[in-house]
Amino acid sequence: MKNNYLLLLAAAVLWAAPKTSVGQVAPALGAASSFAMFTAVGAFDNVGPSVIKGDIGTNAGAFSGFPLGVVMGSIHVADIVSTQAATDVQTAFSYMSTIPCVVPLAVYGGPVSNPQVLIPGSYCVGAATTLAGNLILDAQNNPNALFFLRVSGALTTAASSTVTLINGASAANVYWQVTGRVDLGQNSVFRGTLLVDGAINLIQGASLIGRGLSRGGAITIDTGTATLPSLVPTATSTFWLGSGTTDWFTAANWSDGVPTSLLDAVVPTGTSPYPLIASGSAAAKTLTIGSSASLTQSGGTLDVKGALDNSGTISATAGTVTLSGTTAQAIGGGGSTQFWGLAITNTAGATQTGAVSIHGVLALTNGGLSTGGRPLMLLSDPAGTALVDNAGGTVSGAVTVQRYIAPTANPGLGYRHYSAPVSNTTVADLATAGFSPEVSQASTYNASATPSTTTPFPTVFAYDQTRVTLTNNMGAFDKGFVVPASLTTPLGVGQGYAVNIGASQVVDFVGTLTTGDQVLNLSRNSSASTNGTDAGWQLLGNPYPAPLDYSLVALADRSNLDAAIYVYASASQYGGTYRSYANGVGNPVLPVAQGFFARVSTGQTSGTLTFRNSQRLTALNNTTFQRTTTDTRPLVQLELRGTTGAADALYAYAETGATPGFDAQYDALKLPNTTGLNLASVASTSEALAIDGRPAFTTATVLPLTVGVPAAGTYTLTGVALNNLPATLDAFLTDAATGQLVNLRTQPDYTFSVTATQAAALLTGRFTLSFGARSVLATATALTAAEITLYPNPAHNAFTVLVPAVAGATQLHAELLNSLGQVVRRQDAALLAAGARLAVDAAGLAAGVYALRLQVGATTLAKRVVIQ
């Protein structure tokens, strides 16, 4: 083949060349305009990790090499797009033949100096040509200047040769027509759109900025690059290359360095391994994820200033994406977009352009989010439940809020207490893949004298405390449960619902997210009613898509209400336990969609409860205690448990203002657990308490306990916490049935047995919690009392106690305690070398079971005494 040298044209001739003829326009590329490399008829093959930024394909020929090569665009092989592109390439090639050759490029046989410069115009070479050195195209500061270059034959570029654009010249305005093969040499850089009547070959390292379009030849690429003019990386964009690692912060993984707030980030299709943000602070001006591409986040932050357009997959197990632009931002796209945390700090807000889901915190810090009619989902699963922080904005549009049921305490069916975190939703919204709400017999159940016989039995209940005066066969408290009228009955904001549903189900509430103040007006039957003690109960619910801390509910926000709340935890299909909170004692956290009981106080006929955003938690939380300061109040926490299953807790604490009776602002009543396991103290006003506030703990403080168990067997009482007790006091558990006295500081666990007869009713009078002087009882242990003789037993008016000698002890102190733990007799005697004999006067004492507590030196012993 005869070689001519395009760059050997005399400079004087080139500078004198006239511009393109008036009215000359660029060829219309049509469907071919999106292709970086395309052949109408021919094979398409790639060797090595080539990168193509634009579409590629063939309309008639084999296709191979992608992947290994990377395509930041679409691949079209013999489809409707490639068929049209083939037609449009033919049309554009033919059009180039009509452009006048204003400047025939002379043929020279020897080299001249480089570089050579062309101004806008049309040029032609009449034979096969080699481009060597540097060809400069000068637009003379006209960004619309056109260059047309026609080669009648093959075109070859020498190794490391370049086509350079200056003074506003654009690769989009440079067009080459070649009637033979094109070979772009090793490491050469070529600019412009090639319309070729033959093969196109990119030799290793060759770069084409423009298009390579053939109407009849194969395309071969060997570790080269081709980039559409519109996708040329500039100082405003950088493309993920996937150079062997997933680290977002590795510069070699990007075409133009790690993205910044001034640099658009593009993760194209076919550039795996795709990026991962595990820690640190990442940023991007805009973020684009291509089809089948992905971004994963397991920590750290990603700050995006502009649009976030995802056509692939965004997934996260931790970390936060922040939208911090100054104009409204678009977020979403046609792909799968799942954030862990999403923060909006843009006052102009953001609008969804596709479905978005969030697993952690949606923080509307300083701007709002519009769903734009696209799905927005707050996820819930074993890893946690998402929440919304409305500190500086709101969500407009319908949202789906999920609530997962953990199977830890009860893996099967059971009553779970829900509340809707959205408005505009109904009973039907409680349905899941494995649960359908049953309320078809609502009218029958609600009016029946024997509602428990209703068939099919309802699975969804609200609560109406006015029903406690009904004459049906249920207990007064249970009478309050009422079935919603139909599946279309709205779920009230701030209302609770008992739902018999299986574990591991995910209820999803769809509606408008609740935010701002929510005021509930509540009522109570007359306290003079025969059911007055059971009146006033309300099944309420956390109304927000965020956990609520009830300790932040001020007294003024719960007018005429007791301080306590009660949260039910399912243990079996019909069994469960209540955890109580009152006055800073217990757990105040109400998770997302959590129902709970509260009560309008005795003596009141109405009350109000106001929920506020200020009561919400803004960090992920299930039921974790919220402790901002250390609680310095004396507190004893006792737990009752069987050999398996849940425990039941009793809290006794001391605070000035509390009394031994029931105090609505200090105590929590005992709601009976349906597991049958119940532990409570008894107030001086006879109420059973789950949280018992006393003015102080002294040696005169005695708390009678009631214990309920479901069946005969062995149970354990445990002193879980003994906080801030006075330095001179220890807490003691007395078992009047066995005569044992247990110092809970030195022996926190006490195990006892219950017969079937005893299990059939509450154990009252058997256990007491009291306090004794630590200085004397510091080493007290559980009593065996084997060496103590007491007779007669049962006794009438008196009994005798024989105590053997104890080394180092010289004094015997005895106290006789009744079933309420009150000391009714005290006596002292000298403990001699032969021991001590003590006659105890029991005259005038009521018949019953008593405990005789004996203090011998540093040891305390106890014996059980029955007085008839």
Side-chain angles (χ1 to χ4, degrees):
M1 180 177 67
K2 182 177 179 180
N3 291 323
N4 298 292
Y5 296 88
L6 180 62
L7 295 185
L8 304 184
L9 192 65
V13 174
L14 297 178
W15 281 109
K19 296 183 179 179
T20 307
S21 58
V22 176
Q24 191 68 61
V25 296
L29 297 177
S33 62
S34 67
F35 285 85
M37 300 291 290
F38 175 77
T39 176
V41 180
F44 196 122
D45 182 51
N46 168 71
V47 178
S50 302
V51 177
I52 311 299
K53 299 175 183 177
D55 296 346
I56 61 174
T58 175
N59 191 47
F63 183 90
S64 63
F66 295 89
L68 182 64
V70 173
V71 181
M72 303 176 187
S74 299
I75 297 174
H76 296 281
V77 177
D79 60 14
I80 188 171
V81 175
S82 67
T83 298
Q84 184 60 49
T87 299
D88 293 337
V89 168
Q90 176 65 47
T91 301
F93 186 92
S94 299
Y95 173 81
M96 284 289 290
S97 298
T98 68
I99 297 176
C101 180
V102 177
V103 181
L105 296 182
V107 177
Y108 292 84
V112 296
S113 61
N114 275 312
Q116 297 298 326
V117 180
L118 297 180
I119 61 175
S122 60
Y123 305 89
C124 58
V125 177
T129 300
T130 298
L131 188 155
N134 185 13
L135 172 63
I136 299 174
L137 305 181
D138 182 357
Q140 298 183 321
N141 298 316
N142 178 8
N144 299 314
L146 295 170
F147 296 83
F148 301 97
L149 300 102
R150 295 166 53 195
V151 178
S152 298
L155 172 63
T156 302
T157 67
S160 301
S161 62
T162 63
V163 175
T164 303
L165 308 178
I166 64 172
N167 295 328
S170 168
N173 294 329
V174 178
Y175 297 90
W176 300 75
Q177 183 195 52
V178 181
T179 60
R181 176 188 178 94
V182 172
D183 292 287
L184 301 186
Q186 186 175 21
N187 298 324
S188 63
V189 179
F190 194 90
R191 289 178 169 87
T193 294
L194 283 163
L195 291 161
V196 182
D197 188 17
I200 301 175
N201 181 25
L202 272 64
I203 300 172
Q204 190 175 51
S207 176
L208 168 61
I209 300 171
R211 301 174 182 87
L213 308 175
S214 172
R215 68 174 186 169
I219 292 179
T220 305
I221 308 171
D222 181 3
T223 316
T225 64
T227 305
L228 284 174
S230 60
L231 297 179
V232 175
T234 68
T236 62
S237 64
T238 183
F239 289 78
W240 177 262
L241 301 177
S243 302
T245 75
T246 60
D247 184 16
W248 173 284
F249 299 100
T250 297
N253 284 335
W254 298 93
S255 64
D256 287 84
V258 177
T260 68
S261 60
L262 300 176
L263 202 58
D264 296 332
V266 180
V267 182
T269 302
T271 55
S272 62
Y274 294 114
L276 164 69
I277 300 173
S279 61
S281 299
K285 183 179 179 183
T286 65
L287 174 62
T288 302
I289 309 293
S291 175
S292 301
S294 67
L295 169 65
T296 304
Q297 189 173 14
S298 61
T301 60
L302 171 60
D303 182 40
V304 180
K305 300 294 184 182
L308 193 160
D309 184 11
N310 172 37
S311 297
T313 301
I314 295 177
S315 59
T317 57
T320 300
V321 172
T322 301
L323 303 182
S324 63
T326 56
T327 59
Q329 293 177 255
I331 179 173
S336 173
T337 304
Q338 183 255 303
F339 302 109
W340 189 263
L342 175 64
I344 298 177
T345 62
N346 180 353
T347 55
T351 299
Q352 290 179 224
T353 57
V356 171
S357 58
I358 298 168
H359 207 308
V361 178
L362 171 56
L364 304 171
T365 306
N366 196 22
L369 175 64
S370 171
T371 66
R374 274 79 173 186
L376 174 61
M377 182 172 290
L378 302 180
L379 302 174
S380 180
D381 60 26
T385 297
L387 66 89
V388 178
D389 177 4
N390 288 110
T394 59
V395 176
S396 59
V399 181
T400 299
V401 183
Q402 292 186 343
R403 188 64 171 97
Y404 167 79
I405 302 170
T408 307
N410 174 20
L413 289 170
Y415 282 103
R416 275 82 183 190
H417 289 185
Y418 285 97
S419 66
V422 301
S423 58
N424 311 320
T425 189
T426 66
V427 172
D429 213 9
L430 294 167
T432 70
F435 171 74
S436 297
E438 171 54 61
V439 294
S440 64
Q441 300 303 307
S443 58
T444 300
Y445 179 95
N446 295 339
S448 176
T450 56
S452 60
T453 63
T454 303
T455 304
F457 196 74
T459 57
V460 179
F461 297 85
Y463 195 86
D464 178 3
Q465 63 90 38
T466 65
R467 290 171 55 88
V468 300
T469 59
L470 297 178
T471 57
N472 67 39
N473 63 350
M474 288 186 167
F477 180 82
D478 288 339
K479 292 177 183 180
F481 286 102
V482 60
V483 182
S486 71
L487 293 176
T488 60
T489 301
L491 297 179
V493 173
Q495 299 299 317
Y497 298 87
V499 183
N500 198 263
I501 187 172
S504 301
Q505 299 294 310
V506 179
V507 173
D508 50 5
F509 300 91
V510 182
T512 303
L513 294 180
T514 308
T515 188
D517 292 356
Q518 305 294 323
V519 181
L520 303 182
N521 294 310
L522 309 173
S523 64
R524 179 187 173 101
N525 291 352
S526 170
S527 58
S529 165
T530 56
N531 290 294
T533 57
D534 295 296
W537 290 104
Q538 312 287 334
L539 181 52
L540 308 176
N542 174 6
Y544 300 118
L548 187 144
D549 184 353
Y550 201 80
S551 69
L552 301 177
V553 177
L555 179 61
D557 291 335
R558 49 178 179 82
S559 174
N560 294 340
L561 266 63
D562 291 355
I565 60 171
Y566 309 83
V567 178
Y568 184 79
S570 176
S572 63
Q573 183 170 7
Y574 301 111
T577 59
Y578 286 95
R579 66 172 172 90
S580 304
Y581 167 80
N583 191 31
V585 178
N587 189 341
V589 176
L590 299 168
V592 173
Q594 179 66 61
F596 65 97
F597 273 101
R599 194 187 194 202
V600 177
S601 298
T602 301
Q604 307 296 331
T605 57
S606 65
T608 61
L609 176 59
T610 302
F611 294 109
R612 304 185 190 277
N613 281 347
S614 59
Q615 301 157 2
R616 296 164 63 167
L617 298 178
T618 57
L620 293 180
N621 183 290
N622 286 325
T623 54
T624 305
F625 280 75
Q626 302 296 295
R627 293 287 191 232
T628 56
T629 58
T630 301
D631 191 345
T632 60
R633 295 174 298 182
L635 179 143
V636 175
Q637 179 184 347
L638 281 179
E639 282 189 354
L640 170 66
R641 66 174 66 243
T643 54
T644 60
D648 190 33
L650 163 68
Y651 297 89
Y653 72 102
E655 181 177 340
T656 302
T659 71
F662 172 70
D663 304 303
Q665 302 308 317
Y666 292 92
D667 300 331
L669 295 167
K670 179 64 180 178
L671 282 182
N673 298 323
T674 49
T675 59
L677 201 67
N678 289 280
L679 174 63
S681 63
V682 179
S684 63
T685 45
S686 300
E687 294 91 346
L689 304 179
I691 299 176
D692 189 345
R694 298 293 175 121
F697 290 157
T698 69
T699 55
T701 303
V702 178
L703 280 69
L705 306 180
T706 63
V707 173
V709 296
T714 300
Y715 298 87
T716 301
L717 284 165
T718 301
V720 175
L722 303 174
N723 298 339
N724 308 312
L725 295 183
T728 58
L729 291 183
D730 274 341
F732 292 89
L733 178 69
T734 300
D735 182 351
T738 63
Q740 296 195 57
L741 180 69
V742 179
N743 185 331
L744 294 174
R745 180 171 62 84
T746 59
Q747 183 182 320
D749 294 325
Y750 175 67
T751 300
F752 61 97
S753 296
V754 177
T755 66
T757 300
Q758 293 170 332
L762 282 176
L763 300 177
T764 57
R766 176 170 175 176
F767 295 100
T768 56
L769 174 66
S770 60
F771 299 87
R774 178 178 295 184
S775 58
V776 175
L777 306 175
T779 60
T781 60
L783 301 178
T784 61
E787 298 179 288
I788 306 297
T789 301
L790 188 153
Y791 65 92
N793 193 7
H796 291 280
N797 295 323
F799 58 88
T800 300
V801 181
L802 299 179
V803 180
V806 176
T810 59
Q811 190 72 19
L812 170 65
H813 177 71
E815 293 181 336
L816 186 64
L817 288 75
N818 63 17
S819 61
L820 297 180
Q822 299 167 325
V823 177
V824 295
R825 294 286 189 273
R826 286 191 177 90
Q827 290 183 242
D828 293 309
L831 187 61
L832 306 176
R837 178 188 180 94
L838 187 66
V840 179
D841 181 11
L845 296 180
V849 178
Y850 291 75
L852 178 66
R853 187 164 59 196
L854 301 172
Q855 177 186 315
V856 182
T859 301
T860 298
L861 306 172
K863 295 287 284 186
R864 178 174 176 271
V865 182
V866 177
I867 297 179
Q868 298 177 337

